[in-house]
Amino acid sequence: MDALDLIEAHTAVMVRNFELLSRRTDVYDEVDRAGYLLLRTLEVTGPADITTLAAKLGLDPSTAGRQVSAMTSAGLVERTPAADDRRRSIVVATEEGRARARRVHERRRANLAAMFTGVPEDELRVIGESFARYNRAVAREYDVSLLPE
């Protein structure tokens, strides 16, 4: 298997594994994966309009808008009119949204820690840096900025 076949095969398996972990753990009981990512994006960018969130998340603005509406109904984000253009909404995470995102983050870390028990820190760093390289390549190719800061 050449390097690109290795990456292709393992990214396919990783997608399946992410779905498996989502179904078989309580990690996303409080906030689903899409909501978690939206809240984490707001944590990094600060308050943002729908167009900015859509670009950061690699979504169509209407999809981002639906996610924001659902999260607004759940009390996880608030929308306020933009100061410079009242037709635009600025989205900000509520305290409840931030608290839920923190709990999901802690569960995700605990899950990773359990799965990688005994793996040395330097090897974990190589895995993390490889994921980061992959995500940067996707971001460049598809003109999205869905990257942790």
Side-chain angles (χ1 to χ4, degrees):
M1 201 182 279
D2 73 7
L4 290 177
D5 280 340
L6 184 66
I7 293 168
E8 185 281 326
H10 282 283
T11 55
V13 171
M14 278 180 23
V15 168
R16 176 60 61 199
N17 285 339
F18 293 149
E19 292 168 359
L20 177 113
L21 291 170
S22 180
R23 285 191 314 273
R24 294 194 181 174
T25 69
D26 67 350
V27 169
Y28 295 106
D29 284 356
E30 293 187 72
V31 179
D32 65 17
R33 287 182 296 176
Y36 175 69
L37 195 50
L38 191 143
L39 289 167
R40 286 296 302 259
T41 300
L42 286 170
E43 180 183 333
V44 171
T45 64
D49 63 17
I50 298 291
T51 303
T52 300
L53 284 173
K56 294 270 184 202
L57 295 166
L59 299 172
D60 181 86
S62 65
T63 302
R66 284 190 298 276
Q67 285 183 359
V68 166
S69 291
M71 293 180 68
T72 299
S73 295
L76 304 178
V77 299
E78 294 175 337
R79 294 169 80 151
T80 57
D84 60 337
D85 181 355
R86 299 190 61 78
R87 295 170 295 176
R88 246 178 3 118
S89 292
I90 301 299
V91 180
V92 62
T94 63
E95 183 54 43
E96 179 63 19
R98 288 188 296 275
R100 287 190 193 189
R102 276 191 303 275
R103 289 191 295 269
V104 170
H105 177 76
E106 290 164 3
R107 284 187 191 122
R108 286 171 52 92
R109 280 186 56 93
N111 199 4
L112 287 169
M115 287 190 306
F116 286 106
T117 298
V119 177
E121 175 73 21
D122 60 332
E123 289 182 32
L124 292 175
R125 183 150 306 279
V126 168
I127 294 167
E129 289 169 354
S130 295
F131 284 164
R133 225 175 284 124
Y134 178 84
N135 288 334
R136 283 192 300 272
V138 170
R140 276 192 312 273
E141 182 68 20
Y142 295 99
D143 195 28
V144 297
S145 56
L146 182 61
L147 298 172
E149 303 277 323

